[in-house]
Amino acid sequence: MEYEIKGGSFPIVICKLEKGETMKNESGSMALMTSQIKMETNTGGGILKGLGRALAGDTIFLNFYTAQSENQEIGFASGYPGKIIPLKLNGNTIIAQKHSYLASEKDVDISIHFKKKIGRGLFGGEGFILQKFSGNGMVFLEIDGEVLEYDLAAGEKMLIDQGHLAAMESTVDFDIERVKGAKNMLIGGEGLFFGKLTGPGKVWIQTMPISKLADALLPFIPTTNGGDV
């Protein structure tokens, strides 16, 4: 399978399939496909597997697209402004934010990932549940805004606003750290806790979480009062 990412801030990934190759995605992200591609919909591993994905904010069912002849194309478009990042899995595991999954090859396993400590879930900014991608093949994730990639050495630490964590390798440890200083906590505007990432492993940081984009746009959305039209 070959692919090309186009579209700038409103990206789409075009996958070129040979006969017998299969891509899968959640419903809604397929933008185009050539005529010799067959689509089938199922839970991708049983109802419990589908319910697990639903807990992570995704759909119960997956769509599978298989090329019936050579030189077929299918496009998956991001649902909001940002980037599509391609990741090649070779038995390794990637942990990502909820709603990040766009599409993948059929041998990529998609499941939920729970933060192990209660503190991480209560104060980590994104809840207890993340997405986990493992197996073999390409997976495409949609990221909010621009994306920065860091390769943390063993024991190297990085503090982040939790909503800016897009994805990380499973070797990276995620924890929380309280903001130091009463004044910083009360008027610093960064909340009470930072996310703390400890290497080794790669992390992907997003510049504009969709929740912050929504907050920024909210004052500009017209509202109506009472019976006004």
Side-chain angles (χ1 to χ4, degrees), residues 26 29 53 56-58 77-80 83-87 94-104 110-111 126 129-133 139-144 165-168 204 206 210:
E26 294 181 330
S29 66
R53 288 194 306 273
D58 295 318
S78 180
Y80 39 78
K83 295 290 184 182
I84 295 174
I85 58 173
L87 300 174
I94 297 293
I95 308 299
Q97 66 170 343
K98 293 187 293 183
H99 310 297
S100 62
Y101 176 66
L102 181 65
S104 67
I110 309 156
S111 58
E126 295 297 322
I129 301 174
L130 299 170
Q131 289 185 311
K132 181 169 68 174
F133 305 97
V139 58
F140 300 98
L141 305 182
E142 49 184 331
I143 304 302
D144 307 344
L165 176 62
M168 62 185 180
W204 290 265
Q206 58 192 11
I210 195 66

Side-chain angles (χ1 to χ4, degrees), residues 8-168:
S9 297
F10 298 89
I12 182 172
V13 57
I14 306 295
C15 300
K16 299 179 180 180
L17 307 181
E18 299 304 322
K19 185 176 181 179
E21 291 185 323
T22 299
M23 295 292 297
K24 62 184 178 182
N25 80 320
E26 294 181 330
S27 59
S29 66
M30 194 281 292
L32 61 94
M33 65 179 180
T34 50
S35 61
Q36 295 301 305
I37 292 179
K38 180 181 179 181
M39 186 183 87
E40 294 184 358
T41 302
N42 59 60
T43 58
I47 191 65
L48 292 179
K49 194 82 167 181
L51 290 173
R53 288 194 306 273
L55 285 174
D58 295 318
T59 59
I60 293 179
F61 297 98
L62 294 173
N63 295 325
F64 292 78
Y65 303 89
T66 302
Q68 304 298 295
S69 61
E70 307 295 336
N71 300 317
Q72 299 300 302
E73 290 190 358
I74 185 167
F76 302 98
S78 180
Y80 39 78
K83 295 290 184 182
I84 295 174
I85 58 173
L87 300 174
K88 178 70 172 179
L89 301 182
N90 291 304
N92 55 314
T93 298
I94 297 293
I95 308 299
Q97 66 170 343
K98 293 187 293 183
H99 310 297
S100 62
Y101 176 66
L102 181 65
S104 67
E105 292 186 278
K106 65 177 181 179
D107 290 333
V108 172
D109 183 70
I110 309 156
S111 58
I112 59 175
H113 176 78
F114 291 94
K115 296 176 183 177
K116 295 181 180 179
K117 295 181 180 179
I118 291 178
R120 297 175 186 174
L122 292 177
F123 306 112
E126 295 297 322
F128 287 97
I129 301 174
L130 299 170
Q131 289 185 311
K132 181 169 68 174
F133 305 97
S134 56
N136 294 279
M138 292 297 304
V139 58
F140 300 98
L141 305 182
E142 49 184 331
I143 304 302
D144 307 344
E146 297 291 330
V147 61
L148 304 174
E149 181 178 326
Y150 292 91
D151 199 343
L152 301 181
E156 184 178 2
K157 294 178 173 56
M158 174 181 286
L159 297 180
I160 64 169
D161 178 288
Q162 299 92 330
H164 286 269
L165 176 62
M168 62 185 180

Side-chain angles (χ1 to χ4, degrees), residues 150 152 156-165 173-180 190 193-199 203 205:
Y150 292 91
L152 301 181
E156 184 178 2
K157 294 178 173 56
M158 174 181 286
L159 297 180
I160 64 169
D161 178 288
Q162 299 92 330
H164 286 269
L165 176 62
D173 179 71
F174 173 80
D175 210 332
I176 59 170
E177 181 174 298
R178 183 173 60 84
V179 173
K180 294 180 173 62
E190 297 297 337
F193 296 89
F194 291 125
K196 182 171 70 174
L197 305 173
T198 305
V203 298
I205 305 297

